[in-house]
């Protein structure tokens, strides 16, 4: 199983990090060892003093596909979820400044939170799914998939030009604005169409 992540897919988040609006989606990969085991706490790693949460809608691939046209993308996924792309922002800033790859700041153990899944059939429109993240009970990120620069079908198509998608692969579709730091003792809870999808503690 691989985890393919999209960066800079919401205009308001691009602005908050003073990034350029990309011509193509920014793509990176997390190893399967980055998945935070179910119901476990997230431990802040010793190499960062600035771990940020990024809530993201997830797409679970259901069959093998390569060079998928956007009009056929919906045949390749049947579940959406919600997760967190934990990012060591201090380390990322260093790597970005040097033009180096992002794996160390985004692929470390526990950096991929994967919550519950919802069947696409139960959703009225995958391009208008409302989701949010709360920290210690206050909403810190809130958006709709309608605000994406590249929608889910376009992302599935785009990444399949570079990587063969396999059953069980997961795409993290990018975060909206409101990203911020976590500290020990925080509790993060994600909601998707009003339903709680994960709740994790930070240690
Ligand atoms: Zn992200």
């Amino acid at each position: 199983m691989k985890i393919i992540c999209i960066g800079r897919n919401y205009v308001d988040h691009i602005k908050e990090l003073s990034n350029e609006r990309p011509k193509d989606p920014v793509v990176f990969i997390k190893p399967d060892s980055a998945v935070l085991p179910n119901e476990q706490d997230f431990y802040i790693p010793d190499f960062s003093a600035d771990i940020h949460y990024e809530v993201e809608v997830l797409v679970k691939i259901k069959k093998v596909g390569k060079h998928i046209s956007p009009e056929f993308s919906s045949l390749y996924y049947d579940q959406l979820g919600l997760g967190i792309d934990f990012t060591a922002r201090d380390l990322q800033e260093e790597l970005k400044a040097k033009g180096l790859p992002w794996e160390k700041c985004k692929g470390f153990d526990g950096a991929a939170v994967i919550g519950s899944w919802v069947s696409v059939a139960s959703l009225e429109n995958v391009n208008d799914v409302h989701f949010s993240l709360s920290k210690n009970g206050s909403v810190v990120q809130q958006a709709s998939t309608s605000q994406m620069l590249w929608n889910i079908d376009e992302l599935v198509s785009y990444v399949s030009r570079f990587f063969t998608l396999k059953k069980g692969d997961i795409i993290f579709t990018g975060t909206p604005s409101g990203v911020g730091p976590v500290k020990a003792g925080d509790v993060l809870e994600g909601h998707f169409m009003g339903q709680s999808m994960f709740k994790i503690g930070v240690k």
Side-chain angles (χ1 to χ4, degrees):
M1 181 271 257
K2 59 184 172 294
I3 299 170
I4 300 163
C5 302
I6 306 300
R8 302 178 197 168
N9 198 27
Y10 290 83
V11 176
D12 51 356
H13 173 62
I14 294 171
K15 284 188 196 144
E16 88 183 334
L17 292 189
S18 312
N19 284 319
E20 268 174 56
R21 187 182 171 129
K23 274 201 297 291
D24 293 303
V26 173
V27 178
F28 59 95
I29 283 189
K30 291 183 192 259
D32 58 5
S33 49
V35 176
L36 184 71
N38 250 347
E39 314 289 321
Q40 281 191 20
D41 292 323
F42 172 78
Y43 283 81
I44 294 176
D46 61 5
F47 51 78
S48 175
D50 194 24
I51 297 288
H52 277 202
Y53 53 78
E54 296 189 351
V55 73
E56 311 201 356
V57 170
L58 313 184
V59 181
K60 195 191 266 184
I61 298 301
K62 71 166 182 180
K63 63 176 182 179
V64 175
K66 192 178 172 66
H67 298 296
I68 302 165
S69 309
E71 61 267 37
F72 295 117
S73 288
S74 63
L75 301 173
Y76 291 84
Y77 63 90
D78 57 1
Q79 293 184 88
L80 296 187
L82 196 69
I84 297 178
D85 165 20
F86 273 122
T87 303
R89 194 71 72 202
D90 43 0
L91 186 51
Q92 188 190 27
E93 293 306 325
E94 254 181 73
L95 296 170
K96 271 161 73 173
K98 294 178 185 160
L100 293 172
W102 291 0
E103 278 78 1
K104 286 195 292 184
C105 68
K106 284 193 174 270
F108 56 88
D109 288 1
V113 174
I114 296 171
S116 312
W117 296 97
V118 163
S119 93
V120 169
S122 72
L123 299 167
E124 227 166 88
N125 179 2
V126 296
N127 295 318
D128 193 18
V129 168
H130 293 253
F131 61 98
S132 65
L133 181 76
S134 63
K135 185 171 93 167
N136 307 325
S138 310
V139 173
V140 286
Q141 292 190 272
Q142 190 167 31
S144 159
T145 53
S146 64
Q147 296 160 348
M148 290 177 168
L149 285 178
W150 288 276
N151 69 28
I152 290 171
D153 287 351
E154 289 167 335
L155 292 176
V156 168
S157 169
Y158 184 79
V159 299
S160 78
R161 287 167 55 192
F162 300 88
F163 311 105
T164 296
L165 296 175
K166 294 182 175 178
K167 185 178 172 159
D169 286 350
I170 293 172
I171 301 176
F172 276 61
T173 59
T175 195
S177 63
V179 301
V182 293
K183 59 176 183 342
D186 285 345
V187 175
L188 299 169
E189 184 171 16
H191 284 90
F192 181 98
M193 297 303 275
Q195 185 181 330
S196 178
M197 302 290 272
F198 61 80
K199 188 172 186 177
I200 58 158
V202 176
K203 292 275 166 81

